[in-house]
Coordinates of all heavy atoms in Angstrom, one line a residue:
L270 N -3.3 -8.5 2.8 CA -2.5 -8.5 1.7 C -3.2 -8.9 0.5 O -4.0 -9.9 0.6 CB -1.2 -9.2 1.8 CG -0.4 -8.7 3.0 CD1 1.0 -9.6 3.1 CD2 0.0 -7.2 3.0
V271 N -2.9 -8.4 -0.6 CA -3.6 -8.7 -2.0 C -2.5 -8.5 -3.0 O -1.8 -7.5 -2.9 CB -4.9 -8.0 -2.2 CG1 -4.7 -6.5 -2.4 CG2 -5.6 -8.6 -3.5
V272 N -2.4 -9.4 -4.0 CA -1.6 -9.3 -5.1 C -2.4 -8.3 -6.1 O -3.5 -8.7 -6.5 CB -1.1 -10.6 -5.7 CG1 -0.3 -10.3 -7.1 CG2 -0.4 -11.4 -4.8
A273 N -1.8 -7.2 -6.5 CA -2.6 -6.2 -7.3 C -3.1 -7.0 -8.5 O -2.3 -7.5 -9.2 CB -1.7 -5.0 -7.6
P274 N -4.3 -6.8 -8.9 CA -4.8 -7.6 -10.1 C -4.2 -7.3 -11.3 O -4.0 -8.0 -12.1 CB -6.3 -7.2 -10.0 CG -6.6 -6.8 -8.6 CD -5.4 -6.2 -8.1
I275 N -3.8 -5.9 -11.5 CA -3.2 -5.5 -12.7 C -1.8 -6.3 -12.9 O -1.3 -6.6 -13.9 CB -3.0 -4.1 -12.9 CG1 -2.7 -3.7 -14.4 CG2 -2.0 -3.4 -12.0 CD1 -3.0 -2.3 -14.9
L276 N -1.1 -6.5 -11.8 CA 0.2 -7.2 -11.8 C 0.0 -8.6 -11.9 O 0.8 -9.3 -12.7 CB 1.0 -6.8 -10.6 CG 1.5 -5.5 -10.4 CD1 2.1 -5.4 -9.0 CD2 2.3 -5.0 -11.4
S277 N -1.0 -9.2 -11.1 CA -1.2 -10.7 -11.2 C -1.7 -11.0 -12.6 O -1.3 -12.1 -13.0 CB -2.1 -11.2 -10.1 OG -3.4 -10.6 -10.4
E278 N -2.4 -10.3 -13.3 CA -3.1 -10.7 -14.5 C -2.4 -10.4 -15.8 O -2.4 -11.1 -16.8 CB -4.4 -10.0 -14.6 CG -5.4 -10.6 -15.5 CD -5.7 -12.1 -15.2 OE1 -6.0 -12.4 -14.0 OE2 -5.7 -13.0 -16.0
L279 N -1.5 -9.3 -15.7 CA -0.7 -8.9 -16.9 C 0.8 -9.2 -16.9 O 1.4 -9.1 -18.0 CB -0.9 -7.5 -17.2 CG -2.4 -7.0 -17.5 CD1 -2.5 -5.5 -17.8 CD2 -2.9 -7.9 -18.8
I280 N 1.2 -9.5 -15.6 CA 2.7 -9.9 -15.6 C 3.0 -11.1 -14.9 O 3.6 -12.0 -15.5 CB 3.5 -8.7 -14.8 CG1 3.1 -7.4 -15.7 CG2 4.9 -8.9 -14.8 CD1 3.7 -6.0 -15.0
L281 N 2.7 -11.1 -13.6 CA 3.1 -12.2 -12.8 C 2.5 -13.6 -13.2 O 3.3 -14.5 -13.1 CB 2.7 -12.0 -11.3 CG 3.4 -10.7 -10.7 CD1 2.8 -10.4 -9.3 CD2 4.8 -10.7 -10.8
N282 N 1.5 -13.7 -13.8 CA 0.9 -15.0 -14.0 C 1.5 -15.6 -15.3 O 1.2 -16.9 -15.6 CB -0.7 -15.0 -14.3 CG -1.2 -14.2 -15.4 OD1 -0.3 -13.4 -16.0 ND2 -2.4 -14.4 -15.9
R283 N 2.6 -15.0 -15.9 CA 3.3 -15.6 -17.0 C 4.5 -16.3 -16.4 O 5.2 -17.0 -17.1 CB 3.7 -14.6 -17.9 CG 2.5 -14.2 -18.7 CD 2.2 -12.7 -19.0 NE 1.2 -12.3 -19.9 CZ -0.1 -12.5 -19.6 NH1 -0.5 -12.8 -18.4 NH2 -1.0 -12.2 -20.4
Y284 N 4.8 -16.0 -15.2 CA 6.1 -16.5 -14.5 C 6.0 -17.1 -13.2 O 6.9 -17.1 -12.3 CB 7.1 -15.3 -14.4 CG 7.2 -14.5 -15.8 CD1 6.6 -13.5 -15.9 CD2 8.0 -15.1 -16.8 CE1 6.6 -12.7 -17.1 CE2 8.1 -14.4 -17.9 CZ 7.3 -13.2 -18.1 OH 7.4 -12.5 -19.3
V285 N 4.9 -17.8 -12.9 CA 4.5 -18.3 -11.6 C 5.5 -19.5 -11.2 O 6.0 -19.2 -10.1 CB 3.0 -18.9 -11.6 CG1 2.8 -19.6 -10.2 CG2 2.1 -17.8 -11.7
T286 N 5.8 -20.3 -11.9 CA 6.7 -21.4 -11.5 C 8.2 -21.0 -11.6 O 8.9 -21.4 -10.8 CB 6.5 -22.7 -12.3 OG1 6.6 -22.4 -13.7 CG2 5.1 -23.4 -12.0
S287 N 8.5 -20.3 -12.6 CA 10.0 -19.9 -12.8 C 10.4 -18.8 -11.8 O 11.6 -18.8 -11.3 CB 10.2 -19.5 -14.2 OG 9.5 -18.3 -14.6
D288 N 9.5 -17.9 -11.5 CA 10.0 -16.7 -10.7 C 9.1 -16.4 -9.5 O 9.6 -16.0 -8.5 CB 10.0 -15.4 -11.6 CG 11.0 -15.4 -12.7 OD1 12.2 -15.7 -12.4 OD2 10.6 -15.5 -13.9
V289 N 7.8 -16.4 -9.6 CA 6.9 -15.9 -8.5 C 7.1 -16.7 -7.3 O 7.3 -16.3 -6.2 CB 5.4 -15.8 -9.0 CG1 4.6 -15.4 -7.9 CG2 5.3 -14.8 -10.1
W290 N 6.8 -18.0 -7.5 CA 6.9 -19.0 -6.2 C 8.2 -19.0 -5.7 O 8.4 -18.9 -4.4 CB 6.3 -20.3 -6.5 CG 4.8 -20.3 -6.4 CD1 3.9 -20.7 -7.3 CD2 4.0 -19.8 -5.3 NE1 2.6 -20.6 -6.8 CE2 2.5 -20.0 -5.6 CE3 4.3 -19.3 -4.1 CZ2 1.5 -19.6 -4.8 CZ3 3.2 -19.0 -3.2 CH2 2.0 -19.1 -3.5
P291 N 9.2 -19.1 -6.5 CA 10.6 -19.0 -5.8 C 10.9 -17.7 -5.1 O 11.5 -17.7 -3.9 CB 11.6 -19.1 -7.0 CG 10.8 -20.0 -8.1 CD 9.4 -19.4 -7.9
F292 N 10.4 -16.6 -5.5 CA 10.4 -15.3 -5.0 C 9.7 -15.4 -3.6 O 10.2 -15.0 -2.5 CB 9.9 -14.2 -5.8 CG 9.7 -12.8 -5.2 CD1 10.9 -12.1 -4.8 CD2 8.7 -12.3 -4.8 CE1 10.9 -10.9 -4.3 CE2 8.5 -11.2 -4.2 CZ 9.6 -10.3 -4.0
V293 N 8.5 -15.8 -3.6 CA 7.6 -15.8 -2.3 C 8.2 -16.7 -1.4 O 8.3 -16.5 -0.1 CB 6.2 -16.2 -2.7 CG1 5.3 -16.5 -1.5 CG2 5.5 -15.2 -3.7
E294 N 8.7 -17.9 -1.8 CA 9.3 -18.9 -0.8 C 10.6 -18.3 -0.2 O 10.9 -18.4 0.9 CB 9.7 -20.3 -1.6 CG 8.4 -21.0 -2.0 CD 7.4 -21.2 -0.8 OE1 7.8 -21.5 0.2 OE2 6.2 -21.2 -1.1
D295 N 11.3 -17.5 -1.1 CA 12.6 -16.9 -0.5 C 12.2 -15.9 0.5 O 12.9 -15.8 1.5 CB 13.4 -16.3 -1.7 CG 14.7 -15.8 -1.2 OD1 15.4 -16.5 -0.4 OD2 15.1 -14.6 -1.7
I296 N 11.2 -15.1 0.3 CA 10.8 -14.1 1.3 C 10.3 -14.9 2.6 O 10.8 -14.5 3.7 CB 9.5 -13.3 0.8 CG1 10.1 -12.3 -0.3 CG2 8.9 -12.5 1.8 CD1 9.0 -11.5 -1.1
S297 N 9.6 -15.9 2.4 CA 9.1 -16.7 3.5 C 10.2 -17.3 4.3 O 10.2 -17.3 5.7 CB 8.1 -17.8 3.1 OG 7.0 -17.2 2.6
R298 N 11.3 -17.7 3.7 CA 12.4 -18.3 4.4 C 13.2 -17.2 5.0 O 13.6 -17.3 6.2 CB 13.2 -19.2 3.5 CG 12.7 -20.5 3.2 CD 13.7 -21.4 2.5 NE 14.2 -20.9 1.3 CZ 13.5 -21.0 0.1 NH1 12.3 -21.8 0.1 NH2 14.0 -20.5 -0.9
S299 N 13.6 -16.2 4.2 CA 14.5 -15.2 4.7 C 14.0 -14.3 5.8 O 14.7 -13.8 6.6 CB 14.9 -14.3 3.5 OG 15.6 -15.2 2.6
W300 N 12.6 -14.0 5.6 CA 12.0 -13.1 6.7 C 10.9 -13.7 7.5 O 9.8 -13.2 7.6 CB 11.6 -11.7 5.9 CG 12.6 -10.9 5.5 CD1 13.8 -10.7 6.1 CD2 12.7 -10.4 4.2 NE1 14.6 -9.9 5.3 CE2 13.9 -9.6 4.1 CE3 11.8 -10.2 3.1 CZ2 14.3 -9.0 3.0 CZ3 12.2 -9.5 2.0 CH2 13.3 -8.9 1.9
W301 N 11.1 -15.0 7.8 CA 10.2 -15.8 8.6 C 9.6 -15.1 9.8 O 8.5 -15.4 10.2 CB 10.8 -17.1 9.0 CG 11.9 -17.0 9.9 CD1 13.3 -16.9 9.5 CD2 11.9 -16.9 11.2 NE1 14.1 -16.7 10.5 CE2 13.3 -16.7 11.6 CE3 11.0 -16.9 12.3 CZ2 13.8 -16.5 13.0 CZ3 11.5 -16.7 13.5 CH2 12.8 -16.6 13.8
D302 N 10.4 -14.2 10.3 CA 10.0 -13.4 11.5 C 9.4 -12.0 11.3 O 9.3 -11.3 12.3 CB 11.1 -13.5 12.6 CG 12.3 -12.6 12.0 OD1 12.3 -12.3 10.8 OD2 13.2 -12.2 12.8
M303 N 9.0 -11.8 10.1 CA 8.4 -10.5 9.8 C 7.2 -10.3 10.6 O 6.6 -11.2 10.9 CB 8.2 -10.3 8.3 CG 7.0 -11.0 7.8 SD 6.5 -10.5 6.1 CE 7.7 -11.3 5.1
E304 N 6.9 -9.0 10.9 CA 5.8 -8.6 11.7 C 4.8 -7.5 10.9 O 3.7 -7.5 11.1 CB 6.1 -7.9 13.0 CG 6.9 -9.0 13.8 CD 7.4 -8.3 15.2 OE1 7.2 -7.1 15.3 OE2 8.1 -9.0 15.9
R305 N 5.6 -6.8 9.8 CA 4.8 -5.8 9.1 C 5.3 -5.8 7.6 O 6.4 -6.2 7.4 CB 5.0 -4.4 9.8 CG 4.3 -4.3 11.0 CD 4.7 -2.9 11.6 NE 6.0 -2.7 12.1 CZ 6.5 -3.1 13.2 NH1 5.8 -4.0 13.9 NH2 7.6 -3.0 13.5
V306 N 4.4 -5.4 6.9 CA 4.7 -5.2 5.4 C 4.2 -3.6 4.9 O 3.3 -3.3 5.5 CB 3.9 -6.2 4.5 CG1 4.0 -5.9 3.1 CG2 4.4 -7.6 4.8
I307 N 5.1 -3.1 4.2 CA 4.7 -1.8 3.7 C 4.3 -2.0 2.2 O 5.0 -2.2 1.4 CB 5.8 -0.8 3.8 CG1 6.2 -0.6 5.2 CG2 5.4 0.7 3.2 CD1 7.4 0.3 5.5
P308 N 2.9 -1.9 2.0 CA 2.4 -2.3 0.6 C 2.7 -1.0 -0.2 O 2.9 0.1 0.2 CB 1.0 -2.5 0.9 CG 0.5 -1.8 2.1 CD 1.8 -1.8 3.0
A309 N 2.6 -1.3 -1.7 CA 2.8 -0.3 -2.5 C 1.7 0.7 -2.6 O 1.9 1.9 -2.9 CB 3.0 -0.9 -4.0
H310 N 0.5 0.4 -2.2 CA -0.7 1.2 -2.2 C -1.5 1.0 -1.0 O -1.4 0.2 -0.1 CB -1.6 0.9 -3.5 CG -0.8 1.1 -4.8 ND1 -0.5 2.4 -5.2 CD2 -0.4 0.3 -5.6 CE1 0.1 2.3 -6.4 NE2 0.2 1.0 -6.6
F311 N -2.5 1.9 -0.9 CA -3.5 1.8 0.3 C -2.9 2.2 1.5 O -2.2 3.2 1.6 CB -4.3 0.4 0.3 CG -4.8 0.0 -1.0 CD1 -4.4 -1.1 -1.7 CD2 -5.8 0.7 -1.6 CE1 -5.0 -1.5 -3.0 CE2 -6.3 0.5 -2.9 CZ -5.9 -0.7 -3.5
E312 N -3.0 1.4 2.5 CA -2.5 1.7 3.9 C -1.4 0.9 4.3 O -1.1 -0.2 3.9 CB -3.7 1.6 4.9 CG -4.2 0.3 4.9 CD -5.7 0.3 5.5 OE1 -6.5 1.2 5.2 OE2 -5.9 -0.5 6.3
G313 N -0.5 1.6 5.2 CA 0.6 0.8 5.6 C 1.2 1.6 6.8 O 1.0 2.7 6.9
P314 N 2.1 0.9 7.4 CA 2.5 -0.5 7.4 C 1.3 -1.4 7.9 O 0.5 -0.9 8.7 CB 3.8 -0.6 8.3 CG 3.6 0.4 9.3 CD 2.8 1.6 8.6
V315 N 1.3 -2.7 7.4 CA 0.3 -3.6 7.6 C 0.8 -4.7 8.5 O 1.9 -5.2 8.2 CB -0.3 -4.2 6.4 CG1 -1.4 -5.3 6.6 CG2 -1.0 -3.1 5.6
S316 N 0.2 -5.0 9.6 CA 0.6 -6.2 10.3 C 0.5 -7.4 9.5 O -0.5 -7.8 8.9 CB -0.1 -6.5 11.6 OG 0.0 -5.4 12.4
A317 N 1.6 -8.2 9.3 CA 1.6 -9.4 8.4 C 2.9 -10.2 8.7 O 3.9 -9.8 9.1 CB 1.6 -8.9 7.0
R318 N 2.5 -11.5 8.6 CA 3.5 -12.5 8.8 C 4.0 -13.1 7.4 O 3.3 -12.8 6.5 CB 3.0 -13.7 9.7 CG 2.7 -13.3 11.2 CD 2.1 -14.4 11.9 NE 1.0 -15.2 11.1 CZ -0.2 -15.0 11.2 NH1 -0.8 -14.1 11.9 NH2 -1.1 -15.7 10.5
A319 N 5.0 -13.8 7.5 CA 5.4 -14.4 6.2 C 4.4 -15.4 5.6 O 4.1 -15.4 4.4 CB 6.7 -15.3 6.4
S320 N 3.5 -16.0 6.5 CA 2.4 -16.8 6.0 C 1.3 -16.0 5.3 O 0.6 -16.5 4.4 CB 1.9 -17.7 7.1 OG 1.3 -16.8 8.2
D321 N 1.2 -14.8 5.8 CA 0.2 -13.8 5.3 C 0.7 -13.4 3.7 O -0.2 -13.4 2.8 CB 0.0 -12.5 5.9 CG -0.5 -12.8 7.3 OD1 -1.3 -13.7 7.5 OD2 -0.1 -12.1 8.3
V322 N 1.9 -13.4 3.4 CA 2.5 -13.1 2.2 C 2.1 -14.3 1.3 O 1.8 -14.1 0.1 CB 4.0 -12.8 2.2 CG1 4.6 -12.6 0.8 CG2 4.3 -11.5 2.9
R323 N 2.5 -15.4 1.9 CA 2.1 -16.6 1.0 C 0.8 -16.8 0.7 O 0.3 -17.2 -0.4 CB 2.7 -17.9 1.9 CG 4.2 -18.0 1.9 CD 4.6 -19.3 2.6 NE 4.9 -20.3 1.6 CZ 4.4 -21.4 1.5 NH1 3.4 -21.7 2.3 NH2 4.7 -22.2 0.5
D324 N -0.2 -16.5 1.8 CA -1.6 -16.6 1.5 C -2.0 -15.6 0.5 O -3.0 -16.0 -0.4 CB -2.3 -16.5 2.8 CG -2.3 -17.6 3.8 OD1 -1.9 -18.7 3.3 OD2 -2.7 -17.5 4.9
A325 N -1.5 -14.5 0.4 CA -1.9 -13.4 -0.8 C -1.6 -14.1 -2.1 O -2.5 -14.0 -3.1 CB -1.2 -12.2 -0.4
F326 N -0.6 -14.7 -2.2 CA -0.1 -15.3 -3.6 C -0.9 -16.6 -3.8 O -1.1 -16.9 -5.0 CB 1.5 -15.5 -3.5 CG 2.2 -14.2 -3.9 CD1 2.5 -13.3 -2.9 CD2 2.5 -13.9 -5.2 CE1 3.2 -12.2 -3.1 CE2 3.0 -12.8 -5.4 CZ 3.5 -11.9 -4.4
R327 N -1.2 -17.3 -2.6 CA -2.2 -18.5 -3.0 C -3.4 -18.0 -3.4 O -4.0 -18.8 -4.4 CB -2.4 -19.2 -1.5 CG -1.2 -20.1 -1.1 CD -1.7 -20.6 0.3 NE -0.5 -21.1 1.1 CZ 0.0 -22.3 1.2 NH1 -0.7 -23.1 0.5 NH2 1.1 -22.5 1.8
R328 N -4.0 -17.1 -2.9 CA -5.3 -16.5 -3.4 C -5.2 -16.2 -4.9 O -6.1 -16.4 -5.7 CB -5.8 -15.3 -2.6 CG -6.3 -15.8 -1.2 CD -7.1 -14.6 -0.6 NE -6.3 -13.3 -0.4 CZ -5.5 -13.3 0.7 NH1 -5.3 -14.3 1.7 NH2 -4.7 -12.2 0.8
A329 N -4.2 -15.6 -5.3 CA -3.9 -15.1 -6.6 C -3.5 -16.2 -7.6 O -4.2 -16.3 -8.7 CB -2.8 -14.0 -6.7
F330 N -2.8 -17.1 -7.2 CA -2.2 -18.1 -8.2 C -2.4 -19.6 -7.8 O -2.0 -20.5 -8.5 CB -0.7 -17.9 -8.3 CG -0.3 -16.5 -8.7 CD1 0.2 -15.8 -7.9 CD2 -0.7 -16.0 -10.0 CE1 0.7 -14.4 -8.3 CE2 -0.4 -14.7 -10.5 CZ 0.3 -14.0 -9.5
G331 N -3.2 -19.9 -6.8 CA -3.4 -21.3 -6.4 C -2.3 -21.7 -5.5 O -1.5 -21.0 -5.0
E332 N -2.3 -23.0 -5.3 CA -1.4 -23.6 -4.3 C -0.1 -23.6 -4.9 O 0.2 -24.1 -5.9 CB -1.9 -25.0 -3.9 CG -3.2 -25.1 -3.1 CD -3.0 -24.3 -1.8 OE1 -2.1 -24.5 -1.1 OE2 -4.0 -23.5 -1.5
P333 N 1.0 -23.3 -4.0 CA 2.4 -23.4 -4.3 C 2.9 -24.7 -4.0 O 2.2 -25.6 -3.4 CB 2.9 -22.4 -3.3 CG 2.3 -22.5 -2.2 CD 0.9 -22.7 -2.6
P334 N 4.1 -25.1 -4.3 CA 4.7 -26.3 -3.9 C 4.8 -26.3 -2.3 O 5.0 -25.2 -1.8 CB 6.1 -26.3 -4.6 CG 6.3 -25.0 -5.2 CD 5.0 -24.3 -5.2
G335 N 4.6 -27.4 -1.8 CA 4.8 -27.4 -0.2 C 3.5 -27.3 0.5 O 2.5 -26.8 0.0
P336 N 3.4 -27.7 1.8 CA 2.3 -27.8 2.6 C 1.9 -26.4 3.1 O 2.7 -25.4 3.2 CB 2.6 -28.8 3.7 CG 4.1 -28.5 3.8 CD 4.7 -28.2 2.5
L337 N 0.5 -26.3 3.6 CA 0.2 -25.2 4.3 C 0.9 -25.2 5.7 O 1.1 -26.3 6.2 CB -1.3 -25.3 4.4 CG -2.1 -24.9 3.1 CD1 -3.6 -25.2 3.4 CD2 -2.0 -23.3 2.9
Q338 N 0.9 -24.1 6.3 CA 1.6 -24.0 7.7 C 0.7 -23.7 8.7 O -0.4 -23.0 8.4 CB 2.8 -23.1 7.7 CG 3.9 -23.5 6.7 CD 5.0 -22.5 6.5 OE1 4.9 -21.5 7.2 NE2 5.9 -22.7 5.6
G339 N 0.9 -23.9 10.0 CA 0.1 -23.5 11.1 C -1.4 -24.0 10.9 O -1.6 -25.1 10.5
L340 N -2.3 -23.1 11.4 CA -3.7 -23.4 11.3 C -4.2 -23.7 9.9 O -5.3 -24.2 9.6 CB -4.6 -22.4 12.0 CG -4.4 -22.3 13.5 CD1 -5.2 -21.1 14.0 CD2 -4.8 -23.6 14.1
G341 N -3.4 -23.1 8.8 CA -3.8 -23.3 7.5 C -3.8 -24.7 7.1 O -4.6 -25.2 6.2
R342 N -3.1 -25.6 7.8 CA -3.2 -27.1 7.6 C -4.5 -27.6 7.9 O -5.0 -28.6 7.2 CB -2.2 -27.8 8.4 CG -0.9 -27.7 7.9 CD 0.1 -28.4 8.8 NE 0.7 -27.5 9.7 CZ 1.5 -27.7 10.6 NH1 1.9 -28.9 10.9 NH2 1.9 -26.8 11.5
I343 N -5.3 -27.1 8.8 CA -6.6 -27.5 9.2 C -7.6 -26.7 8.5 O -8.6 -27.4 7.9 CB -6.8 -27.2 10.7 CG1 -5.7 -28.1 11.5 CG2 -8.2 -27.7 11.2 CD1 -5.7 -27.8 12.9
F344 N -7.6 -25.5 8.4 CA -8.7 -24.6 7.9 C -8.3 -24.0 6.5 O -9.3 -23.5 6.0 CB -9.0 -23.4 8.8 CG -9.3 -23.8 10.3 CD1 -8.5 -23.7 11.3 CD2 -10.6 -24.4 10.4 CE1 -8.9 -24.1 12.5 CE2 -10.9 -24.8 11.7 CZ -10.1 -24.6 12.7
G345 N -7.2 -24.3 6.0 CA -6.9 -23.6 4.6 C -6.5 -22.2 5.0 O -6.5 -21.6 6.1
P346 N -6.0 -21.4 3.9 CA -5.6 -20.1 4.1 C -6.7 -19.2 4.4 O -7.9 -19.4 3.9 CB -4.8 -19.7 2.8 CG -5.5 -20.7 1.8 CD -5.7 -22.0 2.5
W347 N -6.5 -18.1 5.1 CA -7.5 -17.1 5.3 C -8.1 -16.6 4.0 O -7.3 -16.4 3.0 CB -7.0 -15.9 6.1 CG -7.9 -14.8 6.3 CD1 -7.6 -13.6 5.7 CD2 -9.1 -14.6 7.0 NE1 -8.5 -12.6 6.0 CE2 -9.5 -13.3 6.8 CE3 -9.8 -15.4 7.8 CZ2 -10.7 -12.8 7.4 CZ3 -11.0 -14.9 8.4 CH2 -11.4 -13.7 8.2
P348 N -9.4 -16.5 3.8 CA -9.9 -16.1 2.5 C -9.3 -14.8 2.0 O -9.0 -14.6 0.8 CB -11.4 -16.1 2.7 CG -11.8 -16.2 4.1 CD -10.5 -16.7 4.7
G349 N -9.1 -13.8 3.0 CA -8.6 -12.6 2.6 C -9.1 -11.8 1.4 O -10.1 -12.2 0.7
P350 N -8.6 -10.7 1.1 CA -9.1 -9.8 -0.1 C -8.8 -10.5 -1.4 O -7.8 -11.3 -1.7 CB -8.2 -8.6 0.0 CG -7.4 -8.7 1.3 CD -7.4 -10.0 1.7
R351 N -9.7 -10.2 -2.4 CA -9.6 -10.7 -3.7 C -10.5 -9.8 -4.6 O -11.5 -9.5 -4.1 CB -10.0 -12.3 -3.9 CG -10.6 -13.0 -2.8 CD -11.2 -14.3 -3.1 NE -11.1 -14.9 -4.4 CZ -10.3 -16.0 -4.6 NH1 -9.7 -16.4 -3.8 NH2 -10.3 -16.4 -5.9
P352 N -10.0 -9.5 -5.8 CA -10.8 -8.7 -6.7 C -12.1 -9.5 -7.1 O -12.2 -10.7 -7.2 CB -9.9 -8.6 -7.9 CG -8.9 -9.7 -7.8 CD -8.8 -10.0 -6.4
K353 N -13.1 -8.8 -7.5 CA -14.3 -9.4 -8.0 C -14.0 -10.0 -9.4 O -13.2 -9.4 -10.1 CB -15.4 -8.3 -8.2 CG -15.9 -7.8 -6.9 CD -16.8 -6.5 -6.8 CE -17.8 -6.7 -7.9 NZ -18.7 -5.6 -8.0
L354 N -14.6 -11.1 -9.8 CA -14.3 -11.8 -11.0 C -14.8 -11.0 -12.2 O -14.0 -10.9 -13.2 CB -14.9 -13.1 -10.9 CG -14.3 -14.2 -10.1 CD1 -15.1 -15.4 -10.2 CD2 -13.0 -14.4 -10.4

Side-chain angles (χ1 to χ4, degrees):
L270 302 179
V271 64
V272 178
I275 197 162
L276 295 177
S277 67
E278 202 57 49
L279 294 178
I280 299 170
L281 299 177
N282 66 343
R283 282 131 179 84
Y284 310 102
V285 173
T286 54
S287 64
D288 296 302
V289 173
W290 277 122
F292 171 75
V293 171
E294 295 302 328
D295 187 45
I296 288 173
S297 296
R298 277 190 306 275
S299 299
W300 293 318
W301 59 269
D302 60 346
M303 76 169 66
E304 296 175 1
R305 287 178 292 287
V306 172
I307 300 175
H310 298 291
F311 307 117
E312 53 200 44
V315 174
S316 293
R318 302 176 312 261
S320 60
D321 298 322
V322 172
R323 291 181 96 243
D324 286 348
F326 281 85
R327 281 178 204 266
R328 284 190 300 276
F330 303 112
E332 291 301 313
L337 286 167
Q338 299 174 0
L340 291 176
R342 283 179 268 181
I343 300 167
F344 299 108
W347 170 250
R351 5 173 5 109
K353 292 171 46 178
L354 292 178

